[in-house]
Amino acid sequence: MIKKSYSNIDVVTAARQRIKNIFNTAPAVQLSISGGKDSIVLNDLIFKMCQSGEIDKSKLVIDFIDEEAIYPCVEKTVRHLRTQWMMLGVEFRWWCIEVKHFNCLNQLTNDESFFCWDRYKKDVWIRPMPSFAITDHPLLRKRKDSYQMFLPRLNSGRVQLIGVRCSESMQRLGVVSAAKAQNNQYPIYDWLDVDVWRYILDNNLEFPDAYLYMYQVGIPINRLRISQFFSVDTVKSLVQMCEFYPELFDKICKREPNAYMAMLYFDTELFRRQKKNKQASEDEDIDYKAKVFELLNDPTRFTTASQIKNRDTYQRMICLHGVLITNTMYKEIYNALVGGDPKNRSYRAIISNLFRDTRKLEDVK
């Protein structure tokens, strides 16, 4: 069970105290940055504390995993951070390595992976590799590791600071609350979206323009996420960003030919989405439980490894909690089965809602 407790200090002060405690007790520290808003905030907190001498900068090393498929403004922002740290005398490791990502655009084939900086597709890389990038390491298993597998192995013996916040998703809340390994620390875990943007405003921090463009095209503030383009959580915004980055989409299509699917099927169940007018008029009349069982009883719909794993996960959920699952939850299950749920975000959200509803029933009794 996850319990919340409240403090009488603000989130900035609390984050600074956590950072100071970590540096006072850890022999070595590593900071992971992505160029996103959360890592920008955590980076600034640590940078200013290093500048002022509050913490020992000699313990610190910075890692950035360049995923190749990133917005130009993200690269610009991270280059600026790299320059700041180098001027302060802190090692900044910019990694351009062949790590593996899930690629939702290829879910209809037997290859659901995207390899960053794929050696076999060098002629269609989305952008050129920076000349100063690190491209290999003895601990790296090329084309087998994700960066989430590589970085802990690389930084064994260091405390890793990560800009993860609980309010972003149920998955992240579960990760932080269940964390037992002391080498992963989340100094801004309790910040809300408003806290992050307020800190960026108050400190006049540079951040990627892509956030502004996403907001302009109607993406809610709690869904403003920057990641590599081929994850199921971010590919939906790719089509909306074409007008701001027209040349970028052409490069993406050359790199991943199935990217056109995002343009054609943006508002369909393939990307866990429906047009609002269609959704409003039809949802009440659809028996999503029947649709889910129709899917599960069709073995031809699940052929790849991730699809089969996804199917087994939701079958287990239905077997254990089927009597409590509502039509709305079955709709979420259906969308996850069709569009994929590689990070189990939908699964965690449904489980959380199940237990919340169960507690409400117990309170009524």
Side-chain angles (χ1 to χ4, degrees):
M1 180 181 292
I2 298 173
K3 294 183 179 180
K4 293 183 179 181
S5 58
Y6 297 89
S7 173
N8 59 357
I9 60 176
D10 62 89
V11 292
V12 177
T13 301
R16 288 171 56 86
Q17 288 180 0
R18 294 171 192 140
I19 293 168
K20 187 176 293 186
N21 289 339
I22 291 167
F23 274 82
N24 286 341
T25 56
V29 182
Q30 178 262 357
L31 170 64
S32 293
I33 68 169
S34 65
K37 61 185 185 304
D38 299 333
S39 74
I40 288 172
V41 166
L42 180 56
N43 176 89
D44 188 72
L45 286 166
I46 297 172
F47 180 80
K48 288 177 177 174
M49 293 177 74
C50 285
Q51 265 189 324
S52 65
E54 294 176 75
I55 56 178
D56 184 0
K57 66 180 182 180
S58 67
K59 293 184 175 184
L60 182 64
V61 64
I62 316 293
D63 283 319
F64 169 62
I65 302 292
D66 188 334
E67 299 174 294
E68 183 198 338
I70 61 175
Y71 291 110
C73 54
V74 174
E75 180 180 4
K76 177 185 174 185
T77 297
V78 179
R79 282 179 178 265
H80 173 69
L81 300 180
R82 175 178 179 268
T83 300
Q84 285 185 322
W85 283 113
M86 291 177 66
M87 292 178 65
L88 198 61
V90 174
E91 182 181 7
F92 189 107
R93 302 184 294 199
W94 187 304
W95 299 93
C96 289
I97 48 181
E98 286 184 285
V99 288
K100 182 171 64 174
H101 280 294
F102 176 80
N103 183 358
C104 72
L105 296 172
N106 290 342
Q107 62 177 289
L108 300 180
T109 71
N110 287 322
D111 180 13
E112 297 178 291
S113 297
F114 170 78
F115 296 103
C116 302
W117 307 107
D118 191 335
R119 73 188 84 167
Y120 304 113
K121 298 183 179 181
K122 190 173 182 179
D123 58 327
V124 290
W125 282 352
I126 293 174
R127 31 182 281 276
M129 184 183 294
S131 59
F132 49 78
I134 305 171
T135 60
D136 199 2
H137 193 276
L139 294 177
L140 174 67
R141 299 177 299 183
K142 288 186 177 181
R143 307 178 73 84
K144 293 183 180 180
D145 282 340
S146 63
Y147 73 82
Q148 293 94 336
M149 297 165 64
F150 170 63
L151 283 181
R153 192 183 309 128
L154 173 71
N155 292 298
S156 176
R158 290 183 179 271
V159 172
Q160 298 182 78
L161 303 184
I162 306 171
V164 166
R165 296 184 297 112
C166 293
S167 66
E168 286 196 292
S169 68
M170 288 304 304
Q171 181 191 29
R172 296 192 175 191
L173 174 60
V175 167
V176 173
S177 63
K180 296 180 180 179
Q182 295 300 309
N183 60 325
N184 287 348
Q185 297 294 320
Y186 311 95
I188 62 169
Y189 74 91
D190 52 352
W191 288 38
L192 303 178
D193 289 311
V194 66
D195 298 321
V196 171
W197 289 113
R198 180 60 184 265
Y199 184 91
I200 290 174
L201 174 66
D202 289 346
N203 292 273
N204 194 29
L205 301 184
E206 177 183 333
F207 63 92
D209 293 335
Y211 281 117
L212 297 177
Y213 301 151
M214 288 180 185
Y215 190 70
Q216 287 175 3
V217 299
I219 298 176
I221 191 170
N222 64 332
R223 296 185 181 274
L224 298 178
R225 292 178 178 172
I226 290 181
S227 179
Q228 63 95 10
F229 302 133
F230 310 123
S231 72
V232 71
D233 302 305
T234 55
V235 73
K236 292 180 289 189
S237 64
L238 185 58
V239 175
Q240 297 168 290
M241 300 293 284
C242 286
E243 60 183 288
F244 299 106
Y245 300 100
E247 297 180 0
L248 179 60
F249 192 78
D250 293 336
K251 294 178 181 178
I252 291 170
C253 287
K254 290 179 181 178
R255 178 68 165 86
E256 287 295 318
N258 286 334
Y260 77 92
M261 290 175 60
M263 185 72 75
L264 294 176
Y265 304 113
F266 170 65
D267 281 319
T268 71
E269 295 164 340
L270 186 62
F271 294 110
R272 301 194 306 207
R273 180 177 174 133
Q274 291 179 322
K275 292 181 180 178
K276 290 183 180 179
N277 56 354
K278 179 181 178 182
Q279 181 176 334
S281 62
E282 295 184 1
D283 268 0
E284 294 182 358
D285 302 324
I286 295 177
D287 183 353
Y288 278 101
K289 179 178 180 180
K291 289 174 70 70
V292 166
F293 278 90
E294 182 181 350
L295 271 181
L296 294 176
N297 289 324
D298 182 1
T300 63
R301 295 297 299 267
F302 306 96
T303 56
T304 65
S306 64
Q307 288 174 343
I308 293 171
K309 181 180 179 181
N310 201 37
R311 177 202 64 192
D312 293 346
T313 297
Y314 283 99
Q315 278 185 332
R316 189 161 48 249
M317 173 197 283
I318 293 170
C319 289
L320 292 173
H321 309 292
V323 68
L324 300 173
I325 299 176
T326 64
N327 191 58
T328 300
M329 293 176 185
Y330 270 115
K331 176 192 171 185
E332 295 173 6
I333 294 172
Y334 177 78
N335 288 335
L337 289 171
V338 173
D341 189 19
K343 297 183 179 180
N344 284 338
R345 285 177 175 164
S346 296
Y347 172 80
R348 292 175 184 270
I350 296 169
I351 287 293
S352 175
N353 289 336
L354 278 171
F355 286 119
R356 182 191 61 196
D357 292 347
T358 301
R359 285 196 296 271
K360 285 182 179 179
L361 289 173
E362 291 175 350
D363 291 340
V364 170
K365 292 177 181 179

